[in-house]
Amino acid sequence: MTSLLTVTAAVPALGAVATAAVPAARRTAAKWLALAFSLATLGLAGVQLAQFDPHAAGPFQLTESHAWIKDFGVRYELGVDGIAVVLIALTAVLVPFVVLAGWHDADPLETHSKRWRPTQGFFALILMVEAMVVIAFEATDVFLFYIFFEAMLIPMYFLIGGFGDRAGERTEEEAAAQRSYAAVKFLLYNLAGGLIMLAAVVGLYAVTAHQLGTGTFSLQEILQARAAGRLHFATVTERALFLGFFFAFAVKAPLWPVHTWLPNAMTESTAPVAVLITAVVDKVGTFAMLRFCLQLFPEASKWATPVILVLSLISILYGALLAVGQRDIKRLIAYASISHFGFIILGIFAMTTQGQGGATLYMVNHGISTAALMLIAGFLISRRGSRLIADYGGVQKVAPVLAGTFLVAGLATLSLPGLAPFVSEFLVLVGTFSRHPVIGGVATLGIVLAALYVLVLYQRTMTGPVREPVRGMPDLRVRELAVVAPLIALLLFLGVYPKPLTRMIDPAVAHTMAQVDRTDPKPPVQANDVEAAK
Amino acid sequence: MENLIGLLVLVPLLGAGVLLCGGRRLDRSGPWVGTGLAAVSFVLGVWLFADMLGRKGDNRALDVTVFSWVPVGGFRADVGFHLDQLSMTFVLLITGVGSLIHLYSVGYMAHDERPRRFFGYLNLFLAAMLLLVLADNYLLLYAGWEGVGLASYLLIGFWQHKPSAATAAKKAFLVNRVGDMGLSIAIMVMFTTFGTFSFAPVLAHADQAGEGKLTAIGLLLLLGACGKSAQVPLQSWLGDAMEGPTPVSALIHAATMVTAGVYLITRSSAIFNGAPDAQTAVVTVGAVTLLFGAIVGCAKDDIKKALAGSTMSQIGYMILAAGLGPVGYVFAIMHLVTHGFFKAGLFLGAGSVMHGMNDEVDMRRYGGLRSYMPVTFWTFGLGYLAIIGFPGLSGFFSKDKIIEAAFAKGGTEGWILGAAALLGAAITAYYMTRVMLLTFFGEKRWQPTVSDSGSAAEDGNLPHPHESPKTMTIPMILLAVGSVFAGGLFSINSAFLKWLEPVTGHAEGHSPVGAGQVTAATMVVLVIGAAVAWQQYGRSPVPVTAPRGTLLTRAARRDLLQDDFNHVVLVRGGEHLTRSLVYVDHKLVDGVVNGTAASVGGLSGRMRRLQNGFARSYAVSMFGGAAVLIAATLLMRAV
């Protein structure tokens, strides 16, 4: 199948249209339709994984290339490397759980009329986001990537602004005001990033047009031209373009100090949408740093590395400390994510195999662990109608399965060995440490702080005497268990056997490292010979 | 044979999985399933032991690589096991004592609501601890290391509905994490220095790394050891950990997990041998902790907390011995094993007493129990004699050797360490005699217990002490047998030394004082310590409420104020830091970024407009954006 990549992105897009078209009264049918399309996408992502050959030559596979806007050299070019294929799989795995977890999040209230349609809209928007994220991972044409990088803001904006928790204490108007503030903030931050990136995209075109005769956005073409010496960025130009790209990705990721949109967006939206933000959409930002920032502008990347490492370190510690100080469960998870994004960016700019491989693995593992933690938190919140930690206590006594799975997801978040995030976090740390010992060492403080915010959250909500409002709280239902159990199984499996992923990621990381012209530091003592000899 | 090693870890892990996910069907059979699987792993351990005895000293190690865990570039971590005499010793201790404590728990936890979960956690602990001692590389060891931390967290907080238990569990995990940070950075330094963190290549090439690197690795490993083994300055969690059920205190917080630090240092002997400064740090930590724990143990009225202080102190002895280098490694491990017997026995005895006394833990409310619980009295008594180092019992052989080795360090250092170890022996005799007298001798000071609802019952609730059921007394008897004979058996013909020497190496020190003199001095301080305790608690009546006490006593009751220091500096300081950061994030970072955006693009006005009737104006904005985009591309065409 030569157009596998197009189909993988088209299926959820079609699903979005189909779901939106379901008549108002047949809400349940719309939900099942959305679930079916998301599962079909998962199947296609599986086919991609199966067809992808990690040892094949060349950076991209399953490529498609068509002329699109000839005048500007914009091409419809798709292709995946080991990093993209793994992240597409992550997206495709998570979306069915997002759909399933959000099954009742957009149900009409009793006051709504029979013709109320947002239920369909909710699921259609989720599928729309999935389609755009998938194509952003696949695009190897900078302009094509840019279009979808920006376009995914639209469905996300409506998801954040239009649907929220049915919070108990607040009035519906208050909640709506908060939501729309969060949605606008999300939009403006990301639009600002996008506008700056647009300037850089245009600048890139100008440079290629000037030096190559015909302008191009094709990543492959640009890389080949640079390797052949036909294309050369002046230092200032390269740095300016790098900053333009990086700023947009740093907002999306998000990196300190442009992170403040994330806690608002994640808190005000429903838990499944929060998962979509942090586990899926934000990954496009960190992915794009690896694919575009490092590969297009290697020299500028190295130039900016010290500052970015320090910003990542601040993100790690700052996010974790703020998580400790939160009183709202979802805000706490949002700040924890900021800390984790710090680790991912740290790993990318450590410029070592372990750092970048670990960062890519981290994107996957963070996606799964945060999805688990956030969705279970959502189930908890839906039972009590409050996001405040202080409103809970003693849940483990009345809902032991909910508490137990919450603890496992929490332990994954604090990177306990045996669960997936440990592997990636340790790789990031060791990869950073081998080039920047001080930064790597200080970043390790993050593991203590993570234990603090996770265990304090667990203690305050789940342990202690059973609080009155918690009494009679039902344990996880079958639908909820169907969301939680597979995610936890994945966390366990990838914690013990991450090789299926590292096998995919490794060659792509080696390619990136070669583009940046960096090799891993050599250890002073060659101790491995003995082991080989044994 | 090699495959059995993997099975050894897998069996209890399977037990944990089945018991924790099994549902209510396993509620009744759960305790026996858990105990049975622990016994199976013990049988496997004995089998491997018999097999190992069949081979010659230098050829006893077994290696097996199960699968490649994390292969990324030059970074290779395998799930692989290394079974040599050192890990074998631990395997037998963990599965042996572990099985006995499982059996004891069948009786002890019989009235609990959910024993199934308890046994699941215990099995999880066994699996993690076995992984820790069997791993053939530091990263897998780290996995076991954090795994036992998790099991310890779950078990300390087993009675989660008690806020004190939940807090203690969290504290234990957090303090341990600080230590774990040290261990993980140590692994990073190893990777950058050697390109690997497997035991064999790292330890074989340690001498090439240079003293600076080795000192760094050594100090970081020591930080890890301090966390797990409750050594100063990371000791504060152990006392609180006594919130867990008593079998947990016996298994995890006395016999096995807390000795993991000693294992780590002994296993890394090649690194410490090349880093004298790190060794000095190790012996200092050991000597300080052995006194610290002993002093705390003297002041506590809670029987379990007194024993916890004692555990800290005894592990201090082991750490001290391990820091002495080849002179001490073997004796560190020997004391670890004998301590495993007698301290587990003492804790089980304490549990038995609590079982008969309506869960009362205050020793001032015990008294005269020897005739009511004869088996508990005799087994506890033998453990008592073993720990104070009564001639002929286990503790005598192992502790004596450590004191000798401390003197053999030589120079002023040797005298200081030797004196500290001797002083520790005196205090040990004092606090253990105190525990013994308060609990089993003297007059009855029993008090009516306060029922759960909070109202003190008028009369009927006076405890009716009784001997514990067979499932509890049998493990106590077996551990008492070990407490009596293990040390002697190990010392016949230096059997233990010959067994471990191929792994740890051994050197005879040059002690300025003869072995006989050391033994004599130890006996003298032992008698003095016991006599002082008898003078205070045996000859005069004991008040039910503790007297105010001297300044030192009051400080020791509060763990020598270390907790207060932590509270003021770390907890309060941390609270202020996070609270101010939350403020800064909201007002400053958010404000500045928003403000910049506003001043640059007049965004705040647009933001307000967007919020009102957002959908329509949003669409307009998007059109605007698209128009800009098209205009820009058209312009570019002209360029």
Side-chain angles (χ1 to χ4, degrees), chain B residues 55-61 82 84-86 267 269 330 494-506:
Chain B
R55 291 189 302 273
K56 281 275 164 253
D58 288 339
N59 194 24
R60 281 180 167 163
H82 175 74
D84 59 9
Q85 290 89 324
L86 181 59
R267 177 57 81 194
S269 53
V330 172
S494 304
F496 199 78
L497 192 136
K498 286 181 185 154
W499 160 253
L500 268 188
E501 199 186 351
V503 181
T504 58
H506 183 68

mmCIF file of all heavy atoms in Angstrom, chain B residues 55-61 82 84-86 267 269 330 494-506:
data_model
loop_
_atom_site.group_PDB
_atom_site.id
_atom_site.type_symbol
_atom_site.label_atom_id
_atom_site.label_comp_id
_atom_site.label_asym_id
_atom_site.label_seq_id
_atom_site.Cartn_x
_atom_site.Cartn_y
_atom_site.Cartn_z
ATOM 1 N N ARG B 55 30.445 -27.326 44.204
ATOM 2 C CA ARG B 55 31.564 -26.826 43.398
ATOM 3 C C ARG B 55 32.627 -26.202 44.284
ATOM 4 O O ARG B 55 32.378 -25.856 45.434
ATOM 5 C CB ARG B 55 31.056 -25.799 42.381
ATOM 6 C CG ARG B 55 30.206 -26.402 41.292
ATOM 7 C CD ARG B 55 29.919 -25.398 40.191
ATOM 8 N NE ARG B 55 29.251 -24.208 40.694
ATOM 9 C CZ ARG B 55 27.926 -24.103 40.829
ATOM 10 N NH1 ARG B 55 27.156 -25.104 40.488
ATOM 11 N NH2 ARG B 55 27.385 -23.007 41.302
ATOM 12 N N LYS B 56 33.800 -26.042 43.713
ATOM 13 C CA LYS B 56 34.929 -25.496 44.483
ATOM 14 C C LYS B 56 34.785 -23.984 44.687
ATOM 15 O O LYS B 56 34.113 -23.312 43.932
ATOM 16 C CB LYS B 56 36.240 -25.803 43.759
ATOM 17 C CG LYS B 56 36.702 -27.231 43.971
ATOM 18 C CD LYS B 56 37.498 -27.350 45.280
ATOM 19 C CE LYS B 56 37.615 -28.816 45.710
ATOM 20 N NZ LYS B 56 36.787 -29.148 46.864
ATOM 21 N N GLY B 57 35.493 -23.487 45.672
ATOM 22 C CA GLY B 57 35.371 -22.097 46.115
ATOM 23 C C GLY B 57 35.365 -21.032 45.037
ATOM 24 O O GLY B 57 34.480 -20.191 45.009
ATOM 25 N N ASP B 58 36.341 -21.075 44.111
ATOM 26 C CA ASP B 58 36.424 -19.986 43.137
ATOM 27 C C ASP B 58 35.474 -20.183 41.972
ATOM 28 O O ASP B 58 35.311 -19.304 41.139
ATOM 29 C CB ASP B 58 37.864 -19.891 42.602
ATOM 30 C CG ASP B 58 38.771 -19.330 43.662
ATOM 31 O OD1 ASP B 58 38.253 -18.680 44.586
ATOM 32 O OD2 ASP B 58 39.991 -19.555 43.578
ATOM 33 N N ASN B 59 34.862 -21.319 41.922
ATOM 34 C CA ASN B 59 34.077 -21.692 40.754
ATOM 35 C C ASN B 59 32.599 -21.781 41.100
ATOM 36 O O ASN B 59 31.860 -22.519 40.481
ATOM 37 C CB ASN B 59 34.603 -23.041 40.240
ATOM 38 C CG ASN B 59 34.083 -23.324 38.856
ATOM 39 O OD1 ASN B 59 33.741 -22.395 38.135
ATOM 40 N ND2 ASN B 59 33.993 -24.593 38.508
ATOM 41 N N ARG B 60 32.186 -21.048 42.130
ATOM 42 C CA ARG B 60 30.835 -21.263 42.623
ATOM 43 C C ARG B 60 29.805 -20.328 41.999
ATOM 44 O O ARG B 60 28.617 -20.575 42.087
ATOM 45 C CB ARG B 60 30.813 -21.098 44.145
ATOM 46 C CG ARG B 60 31.332 -22.341 44.823
ATOM 47 C CD ARG B 60 31.309 -22.202 46.310
ATOM 48 N NE ARG B 60 31.522 -23.521 46.916
ATOM 49 C CZ ARG B 60 31.877 -23.709 48.174
ATOM 50 N NH1 ARG B 60 32.063 -22.673 48.969
ATOM 51 N NH2 ARG B 60 32.052 -24.925 48.635
ATOM 52 N N ALA B 61 30.260 -19.249 41.399
ATOM 53 C CA ALA B 61 29.306 -18.254 40.900
ATOM 54 C C ALA B 61 28.569 -18.775 39.669
ATOM 55 O O ALA B 61 29.139 -19.482 38.831
ATOM 56 C CB ALA B 61 30.030 -16.968 40.562
ATOM 57 N N HIS B 82 23.430 -12.808 38.901
ATOM 58 C CA HIS B 82 24.747 -13.275 39.309
ATOM 59 C C HIS B 82 24.584 -13.871 40.702
ATOM 60 O O HIS B 82 24.273 -13.173 41.658
ATOM 61 C CB HIS B 82 25.717 -12.089 39.342
ATOM 62 C CG HIS B 82 27.074 -12.450 39.855
ATOM 63 N ND1 HIS B 82 27.982 -13.166 39.117
ATOM 64 C CD2 HIS B 82 27.688 -12.214 41.043
ATOM 65 C CE1 HIS B 82 29.095 -13.342 39.825
ATOM 66 N NE2 HIS B 82 28.931 -12.773 40.992
ATOM 67 N N ASP B 84 26.484 -15.639 43.558
ATOM 68 C CA ASP B 84 27.725 -16.118 44.147
ATOM 69 C C ASP B 84 27.499 -16.305 45.654
ATOM 70 O O ASP B 84 26.364 -16.211 46.124
ATOM 71 C CB ASP B 84 28.883 -15.154 43.855
ATOM 72 C CG ASP B 84 28.612 -13.770 44.400
ATOM 73 O OD1 ASP B 84 27.631 -13.595 45.146
ATOM 74 O OD2 ASP B 84 29.378 -12.855 44.085
ATOM 75 N N GLN B 85 28.572 -16.530 46.385
ATOM 76 C CA GLN B 85 28.409 -16.832 47.814
ATOM 77 C C GLN B 85 27.719 -15.689 48.547
ATOM 78 O O GLN B 85 26.924 -15.906 49.459
ATOM 79 C CB GLN B 85 29.776 -17.112 48.455
ATOM 80 C CG GLN B 85 30.405 -18.415 48.025
ATOM 81 C CD GLN B 85 31.271 -18.253 46.786
ATOM 82 O OE1 GLN B 85 30.960 -17.470 45.883
ATOM 83 N NE2 GLN B 85 32.368 -18.986 46.716
ATOM 84 N N LEU B 86 28.047 -14.449 48.146
ATOM 85 C CA LEU B 86 27.449 -13.288 48.825
ATOM 86 C C LEU B 86 25.943 -13.242 48.580
ATOM 87 O O LEU B 86 25.149 -13.131 49.522
ATOM 88 C CB LEU B 86 28.116 -12.001 48.315
ATOM 89 C CG LEU B 86 27.627 -10.697 48.930
ATOM 90 C CD1 LEU B 86 27.823 -10.683 50.435
ATOM 91 C CD2 LEU B 86 28.330 -9.498 48.298
ATOM 92 N N ARG B 267 29.214 -5.395 48.075
ATOM 93 C CA ARG B 267 29.245 -5.780 46.665
ATOM 94 C C ARG B 267 30.196 -4.882 45.881
ATOM 95 O O ARG B 267 30.902 -5.311 44.987
ATOM 96 C CB ARG B 267 27.819 -5.703 46.097
ATOM 97 C CG ARG B 267 27.663 -5.984 44.644
ATOM 98 C CD ARG B 267 28.181 -7.330 44.245
ATOM 99 N NE ARG B 267 27.261 -8.439 44.514
ATOM 100 C CZ ARG B 267 27.641 -9.721 44.492
ATOM 101 N NH1 ARG B 267 28.895 -10.051 44.255
ATOM 102 N NH2 ARG B 267 26.775 -10.679 44.740
ATOM 103 N N SER B 269 32.922 -3.626 46.792
ATOM 104 C CA SER B 269 34.178 -3.561 47.548
ATOM 105 C C SER B 269 35.322 -3.021 46.705
ATOM 106 O O SER B 269 36.142 -2.239 47.194
ATOM 107 C CB SER B 269 34.520 -4.943 48.099
ATOM 108 O OG SER B 269 34.516 -5.890 47.049
ATOM 109 N N VAL B 330 33.638 -9.501 55.607
ATOM 110 C CA VAL B 330 33.058 -10.791 55.988
ATOM 111 C C VAL B 330 32.267 -10.652 57.277
ATOM 112 O O VAL B 330 31.168 -11.200 57.416
ATOM 113 C CB VAL B 330 34.173 -11.840 56.137
ATOM 114 C CG1 VAL B 330 33.597 -13.129 56.719
ATOM 115 C CG2 VAL B 330 34.821 -12.110 54.794
ATOM 116 N N SER B 494 36.285 -21.159 61.193
ATOM 117 C CA SER B 494 36.096 -19.967 60.343
ATOM 118 C C SER B 494 35.293 -20.283 59.093
ATOM 119 O O SER B 494 35.611 -19.825 57.998
ATOM 120 C CB SER B 494 37.449 -19.364 59.933
ATOM 121 O OG SER B 494 38.210 -19.057 61.050
ATOM 122 N N ALA B 495 34.239 -21.065 59.268
ATOM 123 C CA ALA B 495 33.489 -21.538 58.103
ATOM 124 C C ALA B 495 32.941 -20.384 57.271
ATOM 125 O O ALA B 495 33.044 -20.372 56.044
ATOM 126 C CB ALA B 495 32.349 -22.447 58.557
ATOM 127 N N PHE B 496 32.356 -19.367 57.953
ATOM 128 C CA PHE B 496 31.730 -18.279 57.225
ATOM 129 C C PHE B 496 32.772 -17.480 56.439
ATOM 130 O O PHE B 496 32.546 -17.066 55.310
ATOM 131 C CB PHE B 496 30.988 -17.369 58.201
ATOM 132 C CG PHE B 496 29.952 -16.500 57.550
ATOM 133 C CD1 PHE B 496 28.732 -17.021 57.182
ATOM 134 C CD2 PHE B 496 30.208 -15.161 57.289
ATOM 135 C CE1 PHE B 496 27.777 -16.229 56.568
ATOM 136 C CE2 PHE B 496 29.262 -14.372 56.671
ATOM 137 C CZ PHE B 496 28.042 -14.911 56.315
ATOM 138 N N LEU B 497 33.914 -17.304 57.075
ATOM 139 C CA LEU B 497 34.984 -16.545 56.428
ATOM 140 C C LEU B 497 35.457 -17.249 55.162
ATOM 141 O O LEU B 497 35.611 -16.637 54.104
ATOM 142 C CB LEU B 497 36.131 -16.390 57.417
ATOM 143 C CG LEU B 497 37.207 -15.389 57.019
ATOM 144 C CD1 LEU B 497 37.555 -14.560 58.224
ATOM 145 C CD2 LEU B 497 38.439 -16.053 56.490
ATOM 146 N N LYS B 498 35.629 -18.548 55.269
ATOM 147 C CA LYS B 498 36.100 -19.295 54.096
ATOM 148 C C LYS B 498 35.056 -19.286 52.978
ATOM 149 O O LYS B 498 35.392 -19.294 51.799
ATOM 150 C CB LYS B 498 36.420 -20.737 54.489
ATOM 151 C CG LYS B 498 37.711 -20.834 55.273
ATOM 152 C CD LYS B 498 38.032 -22.260 55.623
ATOM 153 C CE LYS B 498 39.258 -22.324 56.512
ATOM 154 N NZ LYS B 498 39.241 -23.534 57.354
ATOM 155 N N TRP B 499 33.805 -19.258 53.392
ATOM 156 C CA TRP B 499 32.705 -19.264 52.428
ATOM 157 C C TRP B 499 32.674 -17.975 51.632
ATOM 158 O O TRP B 499 32.558 -17.966 50.404
ATOM 159 C CB TRP B 499 31.419 -19.502 53.214
ATOM 160 C CG TRP B 499 30.111 -19.112 52.587
ATOM 161 C CD1 TRP B 499 29.333 -18.060 52.930
ATOM 162 C CD2 TRP B 499 29.408 -19.794 51.556
ATOM 163 N NE1 TRP B 499 28.203 -18.032 52.184
ATOM 164 C CE2 TRP B 499 28.209 -19.090 51.320
ATOM 165 C CE3 TRP B 499 29.674 -20.940 50.798
ATOM 166 C CZ2 TRP B 499 27.293 -19.491 50.363
ATOM 167 C CZ3 TRP B 499 28.746 -21.326 49.838
ATOM 168 C CH2 TRP B 499 27.568 -20.602 49.634
ATOM 169 N N LEU B 500 32.823 -16.845 52.317
ATOM 170 C CA LEU B 500 32.670 -15.558 51.634
ATOM 171 C C LEU B 500 33.962 -15.025 51.029
ATOM 172 O O LEU B 500 33.935 -14.187 50.136
ATOM 173 C CB LEU B 500 32.135 -14.503 52.606
ATOM 174 C CG LEU B 500 30.627 -14.315 52.674
ATOM 175 C CD1 LEU B 500 30.306 -13.105 53.528
ATOM 176 C CD2 LEU B 500 30.018 -14.129 51.297
ATOM 177 N N GLU B 501 35.079 -15.479 51.528
ATOM 178 C CA GLU B 501 36.345 -14.872 51.133
ATOM 179 C C GLU B 501 36.567 -14.791 49.626
ATOM 180 O O GLU B 501 37.064 -13.772 49.132
ATOM 181 C CB GLU B 501 37.507 -15.614 51.804
ATOM 182 C CG GLU B 501 38.778 -14.781 51.820
ATOM 183 C CD GLU B 501 39.961 -15.569 52.342
ATOM 184 O OE1 GLU B 501 39.753 -16.686 52.843
ATOM 185 O OE2 GLU B 501 41.086 -15.051 52.242
ATOM 186 N N PRO B 502 36.192 -15.833 48.874
ATOM 187 C CA PRO B 502 36.435 -15.731 47.422
ATOM 188 C C PRO B 502 35.734 -14.544 46.781
ATOM 189 O O PRO B 502 36.156 -14.066 45.734
ATOM 190 C CB PRO B 502 35.865 -17.048 46.879
ATOM 191 C CG PRO B 502 35.843 -17.971 48.032
ATOM 192 C CD PRO B 502 35.627 -17.138 49.244
ATOM 193 N N VAL B 503 34.649 -14.057 47.388
ATOM 194 C CA VAL B 503 33.908 -12.939 46.781
ATOM 195 C C VAL B 503 34.386 -11.605 47.329
ATOM 196 O O VAL B 503 34.707 -10.683 46.579
ATOM 197 C CB VAL B 503 32.395 -13.083 47.053
ATOM 198 C CG1 VAL B 503 31.638 -11.927 46.409
ATOM 199 C CG2 VAL B 503 31.897 -14.411 46.528
ATOM 200 N N THR B 504 34.447 -11.500 48.645
ATOM 201 C CA THR B 504 34.712 -10.196 49.237
ATOM 202 C C THR B 504 36.195 -9.964 49.493
ATOM 203 O O THR B 504 36.625 -8.836 49.691
ATOM 204 C CB THR B 504 33.997 -10.071 50.582
ATOM 205 O OG1 THR B 504 34.453 -11.121 51.434
ATOM 206 C CG2 THR B 504 32.497 -10.205 50.420
ATOM 207 N N GLY B 505 36.975 -11.020 49.513
ATOM 208 C CA GLY B 505 38.375 -10.894 49.914
ATOM 209 C C GLY B 505 38.450 -10.746 51.415
ATOM 210 O O GLY B 505 37.464 -10.404 52.077
ATOM 211 N N HIS B 506 39.574 -11.022 51.976
ATOM 212 C CA HIS B 506 39.715 -10.858 53.418
ATOM 213 C C HIS B 506 41.165 -10.589 53.764
ATOM 214 O O HIS B 506 42.073 -11.112 53.155
ATOM 215 C CB HIS B 506 39.233 -12.092 54.172
ATOM 216 C CG HIS B 506 39.298 -11.913 55.665
ATOM 217 N ND1 HIS B 506 38.477 -11.041 56.325
ATOM 218 C CD2 HIS B 506 40.110 -12.455 56.599
ATOM 219 C CE1 HIS B 506 38.777 -11.059 57.618
ATOM 220 N NE2 HIS B 506 39.772 -11.907 57.809
#
